[in-house]
Amino acid sequence: DGHSRAVRVQCGVLTAGMALLVLARNGVLFLVGWEAMALAAFLLIATEHDKAPARRAAWVYLVATHLCTLCLAAAIALMAGGGGLEWRAGAFDALAPERVVLVFALATTGFLIKAGLMPLHVWLPAAHASAPSHVSAVLSGVMLKMGAYGVLRFCALLPPLPATCGLVVAIVAGISALLAVAATLGQSDVKRLLAYSSIENLGIVFCGIGLALVGRSLGITELVVLGLGGGLFHVLNHALFKPLLFLAAGSIVHATGTREIDQLGGLARRMPRTALAFVVGAAAICGLPPLCGFAGEFALYLGLFRAATLDGPWIGALGIALLACLAMVGGLAVVAFVRCTATIFLGAPRSPHAAHAHESPRTVTGTLFVLAALCVAVGLAPWTCVPLLDLAIAPFLPPSGSVSLGALVPFGIVSAIAFATAIAVAGGLLWLRNRARRVAPATARVGTWDCGFVDASSPRLQYTGSSFAQFATRVLGWAVRERRESQAPLELFPAPHAFRRHAREPLLHDGFEPFLHRVAERCTALRFLQRGKLHVYLLYILAVLLLLLAWSTLVTRAHT
């Protein structure tokens, strides 16, 4: 009860912080909203603070979000030096080009930390895995998008940026999406899998943003509309299917008491409503019609095809590279979610956790069905979102070059494809159901041929999620590595053989974590500065103020 009351309060603060963030027209007020959102998220991640993984994830997030705030504070300070703290149209047009690029670099770094793009994703997998599932749904479905919003907000305030800025964003986003979906394949924790999937989807969003920034710099309106339209449409879609998946995962964890995919199985019979909702979310996140993920990615693909056909030293190469990258991401996402869905819901239960699972209350599954229905509705009628997307795109277009997203993307054809797919799927399911009813009474039920095994119904004879993805993880060893633990049966009458596989992300576990541990060890040498005495801290403040005063005096004299 104490946890639930705290979560309600902190969710309110998180919502208020995000609302203030998007309404702020002042640099200081923007930072206030940002910090309110960040601190509320820290408390939400630490909800189950009696567990060591939750505490560790919360502290890692707190450090990451303070680095993010530091970058944003520096960017806002540089903007204030040339245009003040009030954010209004044209206020920063007088900024020097080198300062504009520096502000963009600082702000984008901070926002990419919040969005969790690789290699700035250190906090995200553990935070989403450790937080309560409904908290993870809010963090992934809404809070991560504040990173994308921040980049667009700063780009709208700043003068036109060089095309290299958009190029860097697009390249980082494409690499991040590819690395994240590869890491998704090796995860054995369902919530950690969904966390890496969020990184992949934010990578797709930033691919669209990068393409739009390139088009804005080069004066190509079509790239701006298609890139930004596709990216923002994917933001909307991700806000529907990712909370659906996280809430369904929470239903599974509540029913079974475990997040380990290989400990589940056979839940479609025991949790049919949750299974149906999870399948809808999985199909939507893979970008399959007739669900919402298809339309946004379709618009982004059209933008990349347009870029690939342009003449230029690098714009065509960028379009081709991102097309290949997103095609690989889409294929690997299908493999990852087929593996996840099949291992969790099909086959026989692999543990007592799954064997004794129960369906969640209708208040929970009702929420899942509402989100699933929205995924279907947006997929069947994507043109209904075009007016909202046009309003968001308009500030990035020249006054004389206003073009609607609906004029460049044939959403009528997309809707027709979605309806045809829905009818085909529904017809196929009805045919299979009727055929099963006709055949079942005339068919004798016999045991499956067991190939000489005594008990062919043992769950140990079916594929696990790890074995399903083994080939893919071997091919993608540069992005995800396996650590194996086994106990070989060496005795004459051996004990049961044990074998476990753990996926490790080289960038996180072999790169960042050892580096950060070394930094922490070095920083302990400075703990003598923390005396715990008020007069010592006042002395520190006085010393810093004197140094700033001396620096300001030197700068003033240099300018005069």
Side-chain angles (χ1 to χ4, degrees):
D1 290 340
H3 280 174
S4 62
R5 286 195 296 270
V7 167
R8 285 196 293 271
V9 172
Q10 291 147 16
C11 281
V13 176
L14 178 68
T15 304
M18 290 189 290
L20 178 61
L21 181 67
V22 298
L23 294 174
R25 299 184 65 182
N26 178 282
V28 174
L29 195 59
F30 183 89
L31 285 177
V32 170
W34 188 268
E35 275 297 279
M37 174 189 70
L39 294 177
F42 162 72
L43 295 174
L44 286 169
I45 294 168
T47 298
E48 299 178 348
H49 51 79
D50 52 330
K51 300 178 181 178
R55 292 196 302 272
R56 183 175 183 274
W59 285 115
V60 171
Y61 166 77
L62 188 64
V63 173
T65 196
H66 275 84
L67 290 174
C68 171
T69 304
L70 183 64
C71 292
L72 296 183
I76 291 172
L78 288 172
M79 293 170 67
L85 289 171
E86 294 298 324
W87 289 0
R88 57 185 184 276
F92 305 102
D93 289 347
L95 288 178
E98 59 274 10
R99 178 174 287 199
V100 171
V101 173
L102 181 58
V103 168
F104 175 80
L106 287 169
T108 301
T109 301
F111 291 127
L112 291 186
I113 293 174
K114 179 63 66 178
L117 261 67
M118 291 184 174
L120 306 175
H121 68 299
V122 179
W123 66 273
L124 195 150
H128 282 348
S130 301
S133 297
H134 56 293
V135 171
S136 300
V138 176
L139 297 183
S140 178
V142 185
M143 193 192 76
L144 293 186
K145 312 306 191 313
M146 293 299 106
Y149 168 79
V151 170
L152 293 177
R153 182 76 182 273
F154 272 66
C155 290
L157 290 170
L158 294 173
L161 295 162
T164 51
C165 292
L167 177 65
V168 170
V169 170
I171 291 174
V172 170
I175 294 173
S176 176
L178 188 57
L179 291 174
V181 75
T184 301
L185 282 167
Q187 302 307 311
S188 58
D189 182 324
V190 61
K191 291 184 65 179
R192 201 173 180 92
L193 180 148
L194 294 177
Y196 276 104
S197 173
S198 294
I199 300 173
E200 171 233 323
N201 281 273
L202 265 295
I204 294 174
V205 170
F206 276 93
C207 280
I209 292 175
L211 182 65
L213 293 179
V214 170
R216 189 187 185 200
S217 300
L218 300 179
I220 306 174
T221 303
E222 291 181 359
L223 295 189
V224 179
V225 175
L226 291 172
L228 202 53
L232 292 179
F233 208 156
H234 201 72
V235 166
L236 173 63
N237 296 333
H238 188 261
L240 296 176
F241 56 66
K242 186 49 68 71
L244 170 61
L245 289 170
F246 266 116
L247 292 175
S251 178
I252 294 167
V253 174
H254 178 265
T256 63
T258 181
R259 303 197 308 250
E260 291 293 320
I261 295 175
D262 288 343
Q263 294 295 314
L264 301 172
L267 295 187
R269 287 181 176 273
R270 295 160 180 80
M271 305 177 68
R273 297 193 296 274
T274 301
L276 177 59
F278 194 95
V279 168
V280 171
I285 203 171
C286 293
L288 301 177
L291 300 166
C292 59
F294 176 69
E297 293 192 26
F298 182 75
L300 183 55
Y301 271 107
L302 287 181
L304 294 177
F305 275 117
R306 180 71 181 94
T309 60
L310 293 174
D311 294 329
W314 52 267
I315 184 67
L318 174 66
I320 294 171
L322 288 181
L323 278 171
C325 181
L326 291 188
M328 290 181 63
V329 167
L332 292 175
V334 171
V335 174
F337 278 93
V338 166
R339 169 221 173 202
C340 176
T341 305
T343 308
I344 292 175
F345 294 106
L346 303 182
R350 296 175 177 82
S351 69
H353 301 290
H356 298 96
H358 56 85
E359 184 61 277
S360 296
R362 292 188 180 275
T363 52
V364 176
T365 56
T367 304
L368 299 181
F369 284 156
V370 169
L371 290 170
L374 289 173
C375 289
V376 175
V378 174
L380 293 175
W383 42 267
T384 57
C385 302
V386 171
L388 292 176
L389 295 172
D390 284 341
L391 288 175
I393 297 169
F396 297 89
L397 298 176
S400 59
S402 181
V403 179
S404 173
L405 179 64
L408 298 178
V409 181
F411 282 114
I413 296 176
V414 173
S415 183
I417 293 172
F419 272 103
T421 306
I423 293 170
V425 170
L429 291 176
L430 288 175
W431 180 81
L432 288 174
R433 182 180 180 182
N434 293 332
R435 185 175 184 275
R437 285 180 175 179
R438 289 196 306 269
V439 173
T443 304
R445 296 180 63 87
V446 296
T448 305
W449 180 50
D450 57 11
C451 303
F453 288 100
V454 176
D455 183 14
S457 63
S458 172
R460 299 180 65 184
L461 300 180
Q462 63 186 340
Y463 275 100
T464 63
S466 300
S467 59
F468 182 90
Q470 186 176 15
F471 173 76
T473 53
R474 284 183 177 177
V475 173
L476 301 169
W478 47 269
V480 57
R481 294 176 185 169
E482 296 179 353
R483 186 179 66 185
R484 302 185 179 189
E485 299 175 0
S486 61
Q487 177 185 356
L490 301 177
E491 299 83 2
L492 184 60
F493 297 98
H497 175 61
F499 178 78
R500 289 178 61 86
R501 298 166 64 248
H502 302 279
R504 292 177 59 84
E505 183 200 333
L507 186 61
L508 180 59
H509 297 107
D510 301 331
F512 274 109
E513 285 190 355
F515 170 74
L516 294 176
H517 280 302
R518 288 194 296 270
V519 171
E521 291 172 359
R522 302 294 188 274
C523 289
T524 54
L526 301 175
R527 296 187 69 177
F528 71 92
L529 296 172
Q530 190 174 357
R531 299 290 186 176
K533 297 179 181 180
L534 181 60
H535 61 276
V536 176
Y537 296 150
L538 292 174
L539 182 62
Y540 293 160
I541 295 173
L542 177 61
V544 171
L545 289 175
L546 290 174
L547 287 174
L548 290 175
L549 183 61
W551 177 74
S552 176
T553 303
L554 291 175
V555 171
T556 303
R557 288 182 177 178
H559 283 294
T560 57

